[in-house]
Amino acid sequence: QVQLVQSGAEVKKPGASVKVSCKASGYTFTSYDINWVRQATGQGLEWMGWMNPNSQNTGYAQKFQGRVTMTRDTSISTAYMELSSLTSEDTAVYYCARAPSAALPGQYYFDYWGQGTLVSVSS
Amino acid sequence: QSVLTQPPSVSAAPGQKVTISCSGSSSNIGNDYVSWYQQLPGTAPKLLIYDSNKRPSGIPDRFSGSNSGTSATLGITGLQTGDEADYYCGTWDSSLSSWVFGGGTKLTVL
């Protein structure tokens, strides 16, 4: 069965960076995009960007441009999301989510999600 | 402020039907498919509807989706207490070149 298993909770100081991992299993890792979505406590979902594990092509939401980097290691079927220059506003649960690579942007959707990783930013 | 507008909350009695609206514009819903996600308390979102009206395997036909112009609707019939959750719509916005979500709707089954 398809599974996305994320790394554990992180506590960071303002100005630091965090790198969250997402290990995929149960399907061909390079056949689907990995997206990252975050959710602050009590708030809605916020899309951060996507990565194609095969081509390494990425696309980031404008809000995070210059501050987020999405990478992968195909040998261990793992995707990574690194966010830098953290502030308290970045305190949230971060989710990875799978999406069909072959889909046109208008036909995109997220069919499997990781369990989420809480990132807390506090001095 | 979300690009897609959803009502903050809806409620209905067990066994009844409820609809959740998602209003957008010509650069998103008016031009692309919508997907819907259910988020039970303390859990990750789950795909309910994709391509505006298709259900993934395992999703009961009590859940349905439809589009009309720049709005989309999620319908849930035969409400159960286990349906209490937050529901989000989402789609691609071509003007923003970004995926966008609605603000979410909290469903209460009275």
Side-chain angles (χ1 to χ4, degrees):
Chain A
Q1 73 283 22
V2 174
Q3 277 192 305
L4 298 174
V5 178
Q6 298 183 221
S7 49
E10 302 262 12
V11 179
K12 296 292 182 181
K13 299 270 190 219
S17 297
V18 68
K19 191 170 186 177
V20 180
S21 68
C22 171
K23 183 171 178 58
S25 61
Y27 73 96
T28 301
F29 179 60
T30 51
S31 295
Y32 292 82
D33 290 352
I34 292 291
N35 286 249
W36 291 87
V37 175
R38 76 178 187 179
Q39 185 175 38
T41 302
Q43 302 300 308
L45 303 173
E46 181 176 33
W47 181 78
M48 299 179 69
W50 63 272
M51 180 197 63
N52 181 300
N54 186 44
S55 65
Q56 295 188 76
N57 287 342
T58 56
Y60 303 139
Q62 187 170 10
K63 176 177 180 177
F64 301 101
Q65 289 272 2
R67 212 161 62 91
V68 70
T69 305
M70 297 178 187
T71 57
R72 93 297 189 251
D73 183 338
T74 56
S75 68
I76 55 172
S77 299
T78 299
Y80 302 93
M81 185 283 299
E82 183 169 22
L83 189 63
S84 62
S85 303
L86 294 169
T87 73
S88 59
E89 302 287 302
D90 295 314
T91 295
V93 175
Y94 289 75
Y95 295 101
C96 60
R98 190 185 84 159
S101 293
L104 296 172
Q107 294 176 304
Y108 221 50
Y109 55 88
F110 311 122
D111 59 356
Y112 287 92
W113 296 65
Q115 84 277 18
T117 297
L118 175 62
V119 175
S120 299
V121 184
S122 174
S123 54
Chain B
Q1 198 78 337
S2 301
V3 172
L4 305 179
T5 302
Q6 297 181 234
S9 63
V10 296
S11 62
Q16 296 300 303
K17 173 182 177 178
V18 72
T19 60
I20 297 173
S21 61
C22 175
S23 178
S25 69
S26 58
S27 65
N28 43 66
I29 295 177
N31 203 38
D32 291 313
Y33 290 115
V34 174
S35 50
W36 289 90
Y37 303 86
Q38 176 194 60
Q39 187 175 34
L40 297 169
T43 70
K46 174 184 177 182
L47 178 66
L48 279 182
I49 299 288
Y50 68 100
D51 288 358
S52 297
N53 58 13
K54 297 177 183 174
R55 289 186 311 277
S57 174
I59 301 300
D61 59 7
R62 300 188 299 109
F63 295 90
S64 64
S66 64
N67 270 26
S68 180
T70 58
S71 292
T73 302
L74 173 70
I76 311 173
T77 60
L79 278 171
Q80 303 172 1
T81 55
D83 295 332
E84 286 202 335
D86 293 323
Y87 292 83
Y88 294 90
C89 59
T91 188
W92 181 259
D93 189 295
S94 56
S95 293
L96 298 173
S97 292
S98 175
W99 183 270
V100 290
F101 288 102
T105 299
K106 182 177 182 60
L107 169 63
T108 301
V109 181
L110 303 168

